[in-house]
Amino acid sequence: MLPRYPRRQDIRRGVAHLQRGGVIAYPTEGVWGLGCDPRQRRALRQILVLKGRPQHKGVLLVAGRAAETRRYWSAQGIDPDLLAQFWPGTTLVLPATPKVPFWIRGHHKGIAVRISTHPAIATLSRAFGGAMVSTSANPAGRQPARSLRTLYRYFGGSLWVLSARLGHQRRPSRIIDARSGHILRG
């Protein structure tokens, strides 16, 4: 059985792996996720290849605190009450700053950002000092991995895995356009 909270040494190893430009698998609120340092284009390309996902779709960023994502989005035109209402938990599509490379946002003008309370994500992003790429751990067209067995079936032993339990969420997080307040998914 996996521990509820990741061990300190595992967090240190995960941070080192991210800093070296590696791809990791980690537990999220409901499924296993794949992540990397968003500044590492080669690492993101590896995730896209593993998933069979086209680059133009973009990926979202995840962190435990909004401050860890702030360099990637602009608050211009965003109601601060909306942020407080939906974070943590909901994925918000926010206006991307010019610092957001196309390999993260795809063909979109905005960037999807989720603030998470999952202990593995919150602890890892705090130790890493910033947001991480977050995408479900599954090849395109397959169900996201909800177990280590499925994760290994999809990707073999090619990924470094942060050992901790998944959260209990059964549905993907809602995605809301932060400018309009419209629900895009969920």
Side-chain angles (χ1 to χ4, degrees), residues 76-93:
Q76 187 174 11
I78 304 299
D79 180 358
D81 292 336
L82 184 84
L83 297 178
Q85 178 183 355
F86 290 110
W87 276 350
T90 299
T91 300
L92 294 177
V93 176

Side-chain angles (χ1 to χ4, degrees), residues 2-182:
L2 293 171
R4 169 115 172 91
Y5 298 98
R7 298 178 312 177
R8 284 186 204 161
Q9 64 264 30
D10 290 339
I11 292 295
R12 285 193 298 271
R13 287 182 190 125
V15 168
H17 205 70
L18 291 168
Q19 290 171 336
R20 286 192 307 269
V23 173
I24 66 170
Y26 59 90
T28 72
E29 296 84 354
V31 300
W32 283 92
L34 299 178
C36 67
D37 180 340
R39 299 165 294 189
Q40 299 282 340
R41 185 176 184 184
R42 185 180 54 78
L44 180 59
R45 189 174 298 130
Q46 183 181 353
I47 288 174
L48 297 176
V49 168
L50 285 168
K51 287 182 63 77
R53 181 184 174 95
Q55 182 175 315
H56 74 271
K57 286 188 170 185
V59 293
L60 68 89
L61 299 181
V62 67
R65 297 181 297 199
E68 295 163 348
T69 67
R70 195 61 188 89
R71 68 186 302 231
Y72 296 102
W73 55 273
S74 168
Q76 187 174 11
I78 304 299
D79 180 358
D81 292 336
L82 184 84
L83 297 178
Q85 178 183 355
F86 290 110
W87 276 350
T90 299
T91 300
L92 294 177
V93 176
L94 299 152
T97 66
K99 293 180 181 181
V100 179
F102 69 94
W103 63 82
I104 297 296
R105 62 178 167 72
H107 72 269
H108 308 285
K109 291 181 182 176
I111 181 141
V113 177
R114 186 175 81 250
I115 305 305
S116 175
T117 58
H118 190 284
I121 294 170
T123 306
L124 184 61
S125 69
R126 187 172 332 138
F128 178 59
M132 302 171 294
V133 165
S134 181
T135 185
S136 59
N138 59 292
R142 307 284 299 272
Q143 289 296 312
R146 292 188 187 271
S147 69
L148 279 175
R149 172 184 260 161
T150 303
L151 180 72
Y152 287 123
R153 189 174 71 229
Y154 287 160
F155 304 112
S158 65
L159 298 170
W160 185 86
V161 177
L162 178 62
S163 292
R165 278 187 230 155
L166 293 178
H168 298 292
Q169 191 171 312
R170 290 289 167 223
R171 294 180 8 183
S173 71
R174 287 192 306 171
I175 300 177
I176 295 178
D177 184 309
R179 284 195 171 167
S180 67
H182 291 113

